[in-house]
Amino acid sequence: KANDFSKIQGRFKTRLSLSSANVDEVIQARLLEKQPGAVPELRTLFQAKGDILRNQQTFTNCGMTLKSYKDTDDFVKNYPFAPYQFQLVQKIFEAIRRAGATGLHLSRGERSILDAFQTAGKQVALQEVGILVPLYRFYPSIESFLDTAVKRTIDQATDNASLDQPFDIELLQALFLIRYVEEIKGNVDNLVTLCLTEIDADRLALRRKIEASLLRLEKETLISRSGDV
């Protein structure tokens, strides 16, 4: 009964599907519409670096296809987010809610996801064109919904002098976000892709940084390793 919309829908002639299937279109129209002056700059950027970008956004051992940019128009519509992030953030919300790491007041629908993208977008709003939004930018939008035990662990890690601040904490947040999502594995290759902050990022340097960070987090028993995951 909690999800029975028939009484509300009965009042209106026009029937709307109340699902989250097209949340990316809503976000593109409401949050990511570009000013006219920015469009040519973004088009030029994609034409110059589109191939680099597609190579940057690769995943290994994934249970679903995570979309990259189709063409220049797709890049302009989604920038600074990547198309796969719409699917992934939705999966993250569902998985965290299902695992019981949040209270039930975390909405499963458009509002939570819109809020997540708005919060992440605001954090990078004043940066230069060419940046990308890494996954850990979505953590603040669900932080207030999290179970206190989960939140306390991540908060206490912030005060840990043995960790390299703030990168280790950001990586820990990214690992927590994908923890319950079965379709994406927490291996180093995937973490590199999820933590990219710019189009021209050096994947090799970032990989070394992440590997060192994982060792520190494991030493502090904040994460555990299973094979290469």
Side-chain angles (χ1 to χ4, degrees):
K1 272 195 171 179
N3 296 323
D4 182 12
F5 295 109
S6 57
K7 282 185 180 176
I8 303 167
Q9 287 177 317
R11 298 179 193 172
F12 302 99
K13 286 178 184 172
T14 308
R15 294 296 173 94
L16 297 175
S17 169
L18 298 175
S19 79
S20 301
N22 305 103
V23 72
D24 53 341
E25 290 176 26
V26 177
I27 291 168
Q28 286 162 5
R30 303 301 302 159
L31 293 179
L32 301 179
E33 195 174 353
K34 307 298 185 292
Q35 294 175 349
V39 174
E41 191 179 352
L42 289 173
R43 283 180 170 282
T44 308
L45 179 68
F46 187 76
Q47 279 152 12
K49 298 186 176 174
D51 291 337
I52 296 172
L53 200 47
R54 287 196 190 97
N55 289 330
Q56 293 278 52
Q57 292 178 346
T58 52
F59 293 91
T60 57
N61 243 349
C62 268
M64 60 180 183
T65 304
L66 292 165
K67 292 185 293 187
S68 189
Y69 302 103
K70 281 186 294 208
D71 51 29
T72 312
D73 290 335
D74 196 39
F75 175 74
V76 172
K77 275 193 293 190
N78 289 304
Y79 187 82
F81 299 102
Y84 76 81
Q85 287 176 327
F86 297 107
Q87 298 164 273
L88 187 56
V89 170
Q90 220 162 349
K91 289 266 183 205
I92 286 167
F93 273 76
E94 287 166 17
I96 288 177
R97 198 172 189 277
R98 199 169 53 240
T102 68
L104 288 175
H105 57 300
L106 173 61
S107 153
R108 273 178 297 191
E110 292 84 344
R111 272 177 321 193
S112 296
I113 296 165
L114 269 166
D115 177 56
F117 277 88
Q118 186 170 27
T119 306
K122 280 180 176 175
Q123 290 173 60
V124 298
L126 300 177
Q127 294 184 27
E128 293 294 314
V129 170
I131 59 106
L132 294 169
V133 178
L135 185 69
Y136 52 77
R137 295 278 187 199
F138 292 97
Y139 176 79
S141 61
I142 65 157
E143 190 177 24
S144 58
F145 296 111
L146 291 179
D147 198 69
T148 48
V150 176
K151 191 174 178 303
R152 188 168 60 242
T153 305
I154 294 176
D155 287 348
Q156 284 171 351
T158 313
D159 301 323
N160 189 329
S162 306
L163 296 177
D164 183 11
Q165 310 282 352
F167 185 76
D168 288 359
I169 309 304
E170 290 166 346
L171 187 62
L172 184 63
Q173 290 168 352
L175 281 163
F176 170 71
L177 290 176
I178 60 167
R179 179 183 174 181
Y180 303 107
V181 182
E182 291 169 12
E183 291 88 347
I184 185 161
K185 303 294 177 202
N187 56 44
V188 179
D189 283 332
N190 290 346
L191 290 171
V192 170
T193 303
L194 294 172
C195 293
L196 289 170
T197 54
E198 51 190 43
I199 294 171
D200 279 334
D202 180 347
R203 276 187 74 98
L204 201 60
L206 182 57
R207 186 188 177 89
R208 287 196 205 103
K209 194 176 175 184
I210 285 173
E211 283 171 343
S213 179
L214 290 172
L215 288 173
R216 286 190 295 271
L217 291 169
E218 194 177 8
K219 186 168 174 283
E220 298 299 315
T221 65
L222 289 161
I223 60 171
S224 60
R225 186 187 297 263
S226 168
D228 65 341
V229 176

